[in-house]
Amino acid sequence: QVRLEESGGDSVQAGGSLRLSCAVSGYPFSPFCMGWFRQPAGEERELVATIVRDGTVKYADSVKGRFTISKDNADDTLYLQLNSLKPEDTAMYYCAADARYRGVTFEDPCASLEVRGPGTLVTVSS
């Protein structure tokens, strides 16, 4: 069974930093695209960052220049470095991987990102 497990969330003050990690298990082959979503309480989920196998990364405008996504290709562990945190970054953060393992194909693999973990909570106080 495929599973993603996030860790690293914490409570920090504005301006602080955190590093989130995502452990991957159960995939028959490495995901081509992985990413991070976040969801503030009572709001919709937002795609924050993506990374594909060739290293190409994309960021939401709200985090560009402050967050960095990276991946260890040896074991597919995904990371998200969060710097210069703001209170509006407070949210549950979820790791996601593409759904190619179950035959879902899109021209853009990142279009099939799915969350498979419980998330990790980031709280930023002013």
Side-chain angles (χ1 to χ4, degrees):
Q1 183 176 2
V2 298
R3 181 167 175 81
L4 303 171
E5 186 164 1
E6 305 89 346
S7 62
D10 204 346
S11 296
V12 298
Q13 290 194 328
S17 297
L18 285 173
R19 191 190 196 206
L20 307 184
S21 299
C22 173
V24 178
S25 62
Y27 284 81
F29 50 82
S30 295
F32 184 82
C33 178
M34 296 189 70
W36 289 93
F37 287 86
R38 68 182 180 184
Q39 186 168 18
E43 298 184 28
E44 292 190 357
R45 190 174 291 177
E46 172 193 23
L47 180 60
V48 171
T50 60
I51 185 168
V52 296
R53 193 176 293 163
D54 66 0
T56 301
V57 299
K58 291 184 180 179
Y59 298 96
D61 288 343
S62 57
V63 307
K64 205 171 290 183
R66 300 188 298 121
F67 291 8
T68 303
I69 188 171
S70 61
K71 181 170 172 281
D72 184 341
N73 288 324
D75 60 6
D76 292 330
T77 301
L78 187 70
Y79 302 97
L80 187 68
Q81 179 68 39
L82 293 68
N83 295 331
S84 303
L85 282 162
K86 305 175 181 180
E88 51 264 43
D89 294 319
T90 295
M92 189 71 79
Y93 283 72
Y94 299 93
C95 173
D98 67 58
R100 292 186 311 131
Y101 70 95
R102 54 186 181 88
V104 175
T105 57
F106 290 94
E107 184 172 343
D108 176 7
C110 294
S112 71
L113 286 175
E114 54 182 21
V115 171
R116 288 278 177 178
T120 188
L121 181 63
V122 172
T123 304
V124 185
S125 58
S126 57

